[in-house]
Amino acid sequence: MRARLKVLTVFGTRPEAIKLFPLLHRLERDPRFVSRVCVSGQHRGMLKQVLELMDIAPDHDLRLMREGEYLNIFTSRFLAAIDPILQAESPDLVLVQGDTGTAFGAAMAAHYRRIPVAHVEAGLRSGNLDQPWPEEFNRKAIAALAHYHFAPTARAREDLLAENVPAERIRVTGNTVIDALYWMRDRLRCEPQLAGTAGELEKLAAGRRIIGVTCHRRENLEGGIARIAAALQAIAARKDVLIAFPLHPNPQVSGPMRAALEERARIHLMEPLGYPDFIRLMDVSHFMLSDSGGVQEEAPALGTPVLVMRKATERPEGIAAGTARLVGTDPARIVTEASRLLDDTGAHRSMANAHNPYGDGRAAERIVQVLARDRISHSIRQIS
Ligand code: UD1
Ligand code: UDP
């Protein structure tokens, strides 16, 4: 066994970077580990923003993003590019997060090279391979081969057990997204200027209630985008709101959204916000309208209700806790639910005061403890 466990963390998108930096910060400064980082570059601009803010300098950047490339082509290019890195680095463990194409590809490539895999945010299931698509499959595929399954909630653990993942390989840690959020909130107290764009937005709102919006899910690309745009137009007919909508750079999202919503009164379209600005936006919003995974976890921790524009979610804990509601993409339903939160103070308060089920901000600490303990008691390759 090596004296220090060599961990290669592989990721490629904005949410992975946000959810991994608390762990990377710990691994980097812990003498029991050698931490190496490889980014696929599945995302470019949005990833760079987070890496710079968190002061993470990847050891390898595969720079794979191409506009509008189909999933199979990205995956095949990624597998070809990651293999020489795995061979050169020969890590004891490959660490992946969540359900993206990069996470799935890295886990599979590591497995093919007989390198154990640790999966952060394991066990989220909607039970429907079409929603989220293709992420439900990606997450299940990673679970089929991972050695460590770091489940954010007890519910995620149950779902892994139901797929016959051995109990001793699962640890309930909380979600590192809450660690990230608390870290950012503390930093914003000292450096409020990091959220200057959100500050400008509050001035622009001039007392009107802000509704934060995000949208990017692939299953919403056909039809969903137009329906969501119609709902936003209807909500913006009210004079007492300001819709703040940072657009995902996917041209299949930003193109139609701009065409439908640009220059509309009380709808403010923006480039993707930096993470500090986005945290501030969620904090000051009356509620969020979103199809994002991360927003379903972050907004409850800030006491902001979320209307989830999906038919199904792999994050049912927020729905059960009462902080989020599934509203789909039917414009009439979205408008009804939004109006309720705008007009019924009690309904808003009960969602805003609901408990955050996603963790206490100590998930990364727990994950490091598990990895460090196994480093001492076993050779990790022997137990995989
Ligand atoms: C990916 C993940 C999804 C995650 C989302 C977070 C997969 C299959 N999906 O979806 O799970 O929720 O990231 O945002 O991995 N683009 C840019 N600049 C960027 C990022 C993207 O221009 O910084 C454009 C590119 O044209 C790209 C397109 O957006 O082709 C789609 O990006 P992609 O990573 O394929 O899918 P997402 O919808 O972002
Ligand atoms: N986010 C951000 N700027 C934005 C929109 C989102 O920094 O303009 C952050 C947000 O705080 C969350 C993550 O990006 O942590 C969510 O990313 P996204 O919705 O793209 O992906 P998902 O969570 O659905 O996988």
Side-chain angles (χ1 to χ4, degrees):
M1 182 184 81
R2 290 180 208 192
R4 304 173 76 193
L5 191 78
K6 185 171 186 182
V7 180
L8 176 67
T9 305
V10 187
F11 59 99
T13 65
R14 172 178 64 190
E16 289 168 289
I18 290 170
K19 290 173 170 184
L20 282 168
F21 83 79
L23 197 48
L24 289 173
H25 283 177
R26 280 182 179 274
L27 291 175
E28 267 161 26
R29 63 169 190 253
D30 190 324
R32 296 169 296 184
F33 298 94
V34 176
S35 174
R36 307 282 285 168
V37 173
C38 174
V39 294
S40 66
Q42 178 177 337
H43 285 177
R44 195 179 298 138
M46 298 199 295
L47 183 66
K48 192 163 165 265
Q49 275 184 341
V50 185
L51 294 177
E52 282 173 4
L53 181 74
M54 307 315 175
D55 201 20
I56 291 166
D59 302 287
H60 307 275
D61 184 352
L62 305 179
R63 296 173 198 275
L64 292 179
M65 194 189 95
R66 281 191 199 152
E67 195 164 296
E69 187 168 70
Y70 198 66
L71 296 167
N72 288 331
I73 309 302
F74 173 81
T75 307
S76 64
R77 288 196 300 120
F78 174 71
L79 290 174
I82 190 76
D83 192 55
I85 310 285
L86 293 177
Q87 287 185 276
E89 292 286 358
S90 186
D92 297 305
L93 187 70
V94 164
L95 196 138
V96 299
Q97 196 281 339
D99 57 10
T100 68
T102 297
F104 161 63
M108 182 175 129
H111 181 66
Y112 279 7
R113 285 283 170 196
R114 304 198 62 76
I115 302 166
V117 171
H119 188 201
V120 176
E121 200 190 66
L124 279 62
R125 298 287 185 272
S126 68
N128 181 344
L129 279 178
D130 293 326
Q131 309 204 24
W133 179 86
E135 289 83 1
E136 177 86 354
F137 162 77
N138 288 347
R139 228 184 260 274
K140 287 182 82 156
I142 298 170
L145 57 79
H147 178 84
Y148 290 101
H149 305 254
F150 294 115
T153 64
R155 160 76 190 243
R157 177 176 185 273
E158 292 304 315
D159 281 346
L160 289 166
L161 290 172
E163 288 171 19
N164 298 321
V165 173
E168 65 275 16
R169 294 191 176 198
I170 308 171
R171 291 288 185 289
V172 179
T173 59
N175 197 312
T176 53
V177 78
I178 305 297
D179 305 31
L181 182 68
Y182 290 172
W183 182 94
M184 195 66 248
R185 206 182 47 184
D186 290 349
R187 191 162 161 193
L188 273 171
R189 284 197 189 112
C190 310
E191 299 175 82
Q193 71 281 6
L194 288 174
T197 305
E200 291 300 313
L201 201 68
E202 283 174 79
K203 282 188 204 144
L204 190 70
R208 287 171 297 181
R209 281 163 305 171
I210 297 175
I211 303 171
V213 179
T214 76
C215 164
H216 73 87
R217 295 237 60 83
R218 278 171 199 268
E219 59 269 26
N220 280 339
L221 293 184
E222 280 165 27
I225 299 276
R227 289 193 294 275
I228 290 168
L232 296 178
Q233 286 172 0
I235 296 168
R238 296 176 62 124
K239 301 261 186 315
D240 60 346
V241 299
L242 177 71
I243 291 176
F245 188 176
L247 292 171
H248 191 288
N250 186 345
Q252 288 176 275
V253 178
S254 57
M257 282 301 187
R258 280 196 192 285
L261 301 175
E262 210 147 45
E263 309 288 322
R264 293 265 174 169
R266 293 174 292 280
I267 299 185
H268 192 69
L269 302 180
M270 292 170 280
E271 295 298 314
L273 285 174
Y275 180 57
D277 269 314
F278 192 71
I279 295 296
R280 175 81 178 266
L281 171 63
M282 284 191 288
D283 205 15
V284 299
S285 289
H286 190 61
F287 61 90
M288 296 295 296
L289 255 177
S290 177
D291 64 7
S292 160
V295 170
Q296 291 175 62
E297 299 155 343
E298 294 163 326
L302 294 164
T304 301
V306 195
L307 298 180
V308 183
M309 298 187 290
R310 302 186 184 187
K311 284 198 198 113
T313 180
E314 71 285 26
R315 290 166 169 92
E317 297 90 343
I319 311 285
T323 185
R325 278 172 87 92
L326 268 185
V327 300
T329 58
D330 171 45
R333 173 91 199 274
I334 295 174
V335 173
T336 303
E337 296 285 352
S339 304
R340 204 169 68 92
L341 288 179
L342 288 163
D343 298 329
D344 180 343
T345 316
H348 183 270
R349 195 185 307 121
S350 77
M351 284 186 84
N353 292 341
H355 166 70
N356 152 38
Y358 292 109
D360 59 2
R362 294 180 53 207
E365 181 189 322
R366 294 188 184 99
I367 292 169
V368 167
Q369 267 170 12
V370 171
L371 298 179
R373 192 208 53 211
D374 279 11
R375 172 195 142 273
I376 293 162
S377 56
H378 311 283
S379 160
I380 195 164
R381 279 180 199 261
Q382 281 166 13
I383 59 166
S384 69

